[in-house]
Amino acid sequence: MLHDCVIRGGTLIDGTGAPAFEGDLAIDQGCISAIGKVDGIGRQEIDARGLAVTPGFVDIHTHLDAQIGWDPDCTPVVWHGVTTALLGNCGVSFAPCRPGEQARLAAMMETVEDIPRQAILTGLPWDWEDYGGYLDAIERIGPAINIAGLIGHSALRYYVMGERAVEEQATAQERHQMAQLVGQALDRGAVGFSTNRFAPHKLPDGRSIPGTFADPVELIEIARQVAARGGLMQAVGADFNVLRAIADEGGARVLCSYGGAIDAPTARQRREALEQLCTGRDITAVTQVRSSGLIFGLQGLLPGRGAAWAALRKLDLAGRLAAIEDPNTATALVEEARREGFPPILGTGIDQVFYMGMATTPDYDAGPSMSLVVMAEAAGEHWSQTFLRLSRESKGRCLFTLRMFNPDMSALAHLIGSERVIPSLGDAGAHVSQIMDSGWASFVLAHWVRDTGVYSLEEAVRRMTTAPARVIGLRDRGRLAVGLRADINVLDAQKVSECQPRIVHDFPGGAPRYIQEAIGYKATLVNGEQVVRDGVLSGRRSGRVLRHVPS
């Protein structure tokens, strides 16, 4: 028998948490057609001996809404085994959008998610008004991976309320209109609705984005329309009272963002509180898989403040390198750093800035000796001197991470051990010149499986495949089973890792962003087609827009 593709002799991990087993897997017409001992040959054959064969990973917290317009390959998540991405998180989406209102949504996305507005305005076709039309546009673009979408609260409020959306409460009529529009969006394919109650997410004029302070009655009315169709309510920054109301009074399935691994007692308390909230409710949390925050380095953000540092920021990498080689400039930068200090960011100071090393794989779990402050003390330097010295020695390639979220990795182990927590929150497509967490799936396999054993390989794969697929409402993928769509990874579980992040200028207009390649992936297939082989994009774009089917 001739198959489209046969993956031979791999260790099959089906995504359910069941024990791995050795076998073959055949693919025909984009679906898994046989598992076990496969007779016949494939038009394509992949030798998976010594390798793991898993379902493709499902990334349920991305902001690829804009980037997909000019990067249909969806880098870097596609390099890390992601075959399905959920867009429209955190209450921000590009639909619905009235004609002539595109600039307003682009400006909001720029300040909230660090995506340049000109890239948004020039990189997308903007040929839609409702959310279904946006999904149609993505379908015409032809992504490499599968895409599911959430309609965002901010765009919805602007569409219904205009400028009043920012600071005023909706009338009963406006609440009804919003709920009806959300229902229509799900009928056209959105998998749910997202809202944002995190006040630091600002518009260009400094006000919090629309929906931040909306009366929970508004969310409950929307949730009823979502729940009636078996959809998802996603929230960021919402307190437990709001989440409880959405689940109980709105009747909806809920996805929220959660963290707080400051220390072990705090992580345990937050885990217990979350599990109490979730009891009897279909609520799932996502959290970052490691200490996360801003990345500092000569190629990106700079840690100093003052006139000399501001002048340095205006230069490209070559100019910055030349500048810090000049003794007078270096002295001015150090003197300014001594005088002005490091600007605390969300309460996080210079003591939480850590060196990521210069190995192929960044050291995200470096101990206290790799703190920039401790390294400086050991060298008899000010932290700014150490930063500049290492930048010179590495030709600007070295990077430092600010551990702003989940700063204690041992504490994070308590939190991610909860059945109610899915490792994710990579924010792909957002904060593109500030952070790089898109390789979260590779980190889970490298750190939480291989290095620490917090997850077995089977459990880690379950939490990255069937668990998030269920949250989104996907029924035809997320597992290795005959008849399901062939979204598949073939990988070396003993080698999978992230590479060092690096800045590229490939956004429209040359805007910068971090990318991060991976090692250890032999092949990633989307709907049966190889989109990545040995870390290299194949050029195939076999992804689909996964439209919600009301239950």
Side-chain angles (χ1 to χ4, degrees), residues 168-185:
E168 295 186 28
Q169 295 299 337
T171 65
Q173 182 178 357
E174 287 166 338
R175 290 198 302 268
H176 178 75
Q177 184 183 357
M178 281 189 270
Q180 292 301 307
L181 286 169
V182 170
Q184 292 168 20

Side-chain angles (χ1 to χ4, degrees), residues 482-496:
V482 172
L484 297 191
R485 303 300 303 181
D487 297 342
I488 296 171
N489 284 317
V490 181
L491 56 89
D492 188 335
Q494 298 305 311
K495 293 182 179 178
V496 165

Side-chain angles (χ1 to χ4, degrees), residues 451-466:
D451 296 345
T452 66
V454 167
Y455 294 144
S456 67
L457 181 57
E458 291 89 343
E459 176 62 10
V461 170
R462 183 188 74 82
R463 292 191 186 222
M464 297 191 293
T465 57
T466 58

